[in-house]
Amino acid sequence: MDQKKMTMSNISTIGVFKDALRVSIKRPSLALFFLKTIISQKRAQRNRLKWIGKGIQVPPVMIFSITDKCNLNCKGCYNKALRIPSKNELDTAQIIDILDQARKLGIAFIVIAGGEPFVRKDFLKIIKTFPELIFLVFTNGLLIDDILLEEIKSKRNVVPVISIEGHLEQTGHRRGEGVFNHLKTVIGNLNNESIFFGTSLTVTRQNFECLTDDAFVADLIEKGCKLFFYVEYTPITEGTENWVPTTEQRKKIPGIMDRYRKKFSALFVGLPAEEEMFGGCLSAGRGFIHVNAKGDLEPCPFAPFSDVNLKDMTLKEALKSRLLKEIRKNQSMLDESEGGCSLWANRKWVETLLK
Ligand code: SF4
């Protein structure tokens, strides 16, 4: 793919919502919601194209880590390894302002991450402001009680994505005792309320067989799960290098995702393995950008490097970041990686760009 296309791209999210419509066809109100979403996502895409035409690389997706605080202490947590909760976190008005700027630039797909997003008591107030944006909320699920369930049920544009590591043993090992059984209840409640939800599965060398066992997937689909993220483990925490899936395992992921899409009525995404479909790493604004809890604009949640902060400038100005542009211009630097995030694997190079 030529460098120009690499630096300025307009990757579409429409396909994702067409798949969401396909797997929701038996639930008319949900299907109607996704039909409307496809129309608003097309509008957003036209808007992005306009800005890209003016030389501003606006990606379709913003990953927004709205807090570093968390009610869990999982082994190998990338966020705890990279970021310490601080008093400088963005306040409610700043988050609303950043989302409003994103909306105006055509970013209509927001992945909310953390820390644990639901520890922020202002989270739902923020979401209420943007009924036209889609929010995928990556959550450990433990704070989804009856009150939150009712709130989520009333907002179709909020899609909870529950993090699990496998069965009781694998989940307990990383997330702690009792978490798996608690999540079984939460998932049951989400399904009973007909809420469209997903799961985020961190793929390690150790849980690969479990997560790619068709019975495991079929069981989750039986329980109402409609969206699966298979995210390769990135060894940010020292001493966890042997958690990274083997080369052989990693090579299997795209094929497994394809097979599941044909076999099951659900959406499957393998990251970063399937970024190849879009010409490689989607970070630094090609497919997504990351805003951390303090407002730094970063290329990716696994790459804590930034030369611009949204407390000091607008999102439009920040998207002109020299660091992001240099990363996009040198895409080939990110082709090779031993698994997980190639920006993290090439962090020495990224640090030279900052200098
Ligand atoms: S729930 Fe997420 S952010 Fe919290 S400790 Fe676990 S992996 Fe880290």
Side-chain angles (χ1 to χ4, degrees):
M1 191 185 275
D2 68 55
Q3 283 302 331
K4 180 93 186 76
K5 264 218 195 103
M6 282 293 189
T7 319
M8 302 300 283
S9 58
N10 189 28
I11 288 169
S12 169
T13 57
I14 310 297
V16 173
F17 292 102
K18 283 185 178 162
D19 285 344
L21 174 59
R22 177 177 52 77
V23 302
S24 310
I25 211 68
K26 292 199 187 97
R27 292 155 63 182
S29 64
L30 192 56
L32 181 60
F33 169 75
F34 283 122
L35 208 53
K36 288 183 184 155
T37 302
I38 289 169
I39 296 163
S40 63
Q41 291 284 323
K42 281 187 176 163
R43 206 171 28 245
Q45 187 176 22
R46 285 194 296 277
N47 193 359
R48 288 197 302 277
L49 259 178
K50 189 185 72 187
W51 291 108
I52 289 173
K54 294 179 181 165
I56 300 175
Q57 176 55 30
V58 182
V61 177
M62 172 189 274
I63 305 174
F64 203 159
S65 295
I66 58 172
T67 184
D68 292 322
K69 298 186 184 74
C70 186
N71 54 332
L72 270 185
N73 190 16
C74 305
K75 293 190 185 99
C77 168
Y78 77 89
N79 200 62
K80 287 200 185 260
L82 292 175
R83 303 180 180 93
I84 300 157
S86 88
K87 290 196 179 54
N88 301 331
E89 292 197 347
L90 297 162
D91 63 26
T92 312
Q94 287 167 324
I95 292 179
I96 288 176
D97 178 48
I98 291 168
L99 289 171
D100 192 45
Q101 293 181 55
R103 180 180 62 75
K104 288 179 179 143
L105 288 169
I107 302 176
F109 197 147
I110 314 291
V111 174
I112 299 285
E116 170 49 41
F118 288 122
V119 297
R120 283 198 71 133
K121 296 296 169 241
D122 59 355
F123 182 44
L124 290 165
K125 178 175 164 218
I126 292 168
I127 297 263
K128 266 194 196 121
T129 322
F130 302 99
E132 76 282 31
L133 297 183
I134 296 292
F135 293 94
L136 249 61
V137 184
F138 280 63
T139 169
N140 62 36
L142 300 188
L143 299 175
I144 302 181
D145 57 15
D146 294 349
I147 297 165
L148 202 44
L149 202 65
E150 276 312 303
E151 285 274 1
I152 295 171
K153 187 179 173 193
S154 67
K155 294 175 188 62
R156 281 247 187 258
N157 64 328
V158 176
V159 177
V161 179
I162 313 281
S163 301
I164 53 176
E165 313 296 327
H167 296 297
L168 182 125
E169 183 207 339
Q170 293 87 2
T171 302
H173 170 69
R174 273 201 75 196
R175 297 181 164 264
E177 210 176 319
V179 170
F180 183 80
N181 288 329
H182 186 139
L183 290 181
K184 272 169 69 175
T185 309
V186 169
I187 286 172
N189 294 342
L190 289 166
N191 192 29
N192 293 344
E193 298 295 339
S194 301
I195 291 169
F196 188 95
F197 73 94
T199 184
S200 168
L201 307 165
T202 302
V203 184
T204 65
R205 193 173 303 185
Q206 293 75 18
N207 70 5
F208 180 87
E209 296 308 324
C210 165
L211 299 187
T212 57
D213 171 1
D214 291 24
F216 171 77
V217 176
D219 178 56
L220 275 169
I221 289 176
E222 181 71 30
K223 291 188 169 78
C225 187
K226 288 287 186 197
L227 174 60
F228 292 76
F229 286 92
Y230 282 71
V231 183
E232 285 172 34
Y233 180 76
T234 294
I236 308 259
T237 306
E238 250 177 81
T240 64
E241 290 72 16
N242 66 346
W243 293 18
V244 175
T246 63
T247 306
E248 193 202 342
Q249 289 172 329
R250 284 175 34 234
K251 284 198 174 128
K252 288 182 184 164
I253 293 175
I256 294 169
M257 298 296 106
D258 268 347
R259 188 169 64 75
Y260 283 170
R261 285 184 200 113
K262 294 186 185 90
K263 181 173 181 179
F264 296 116
S265 175
L267 285 73
F268 294 87
V269 183
L271 296 171
E274 294 200 294
E275 288 184 327
E276 278 320 308
M277 288 196 283
F278 301 96
C281 177
L282 289 168
S283 72
R286 279 194 68 239
F288 62 81
I289 43 167
H290 178 238
V291 180
N292 73 16
K294 294 194 259 326
D296 297 321
L297 189 66
E298 299 174 337
C300 171
F302 298 108
F305 310 105
S306 180
D307 58 352
V308 287
N309 184 289
L310 297 174
K311 287 177 185 167
D312 310 329
M313 63 183 75
T314 65
L315 179 58
K316 195 163 51 176
E317 289 159 340
L319 285 170
K320 299 174 190 162
S321 147
R322 193 185 62 75
L323 175 69
L324 298 187
K325 201 176 276 181
E326 283 300 314
I327 291 172
R328 290 197 302 271
K329 229 166 54 188
N330 297 283
Q331 181 78 16
S332 56
M333 286 292 294
L334 306 176
D335 290 350
E336 285 316 311
S337 118
E338 299 302 311
C341 171
S342 44
L343 268 172
W344 178 255
N346 292 286
R347 56 193 174 281
K348 290 269 170 284
W349 166 67
V350 181
E351 283 159 0
T352 62
L353 296 178
L354 271 176
K355 290 207 186 83

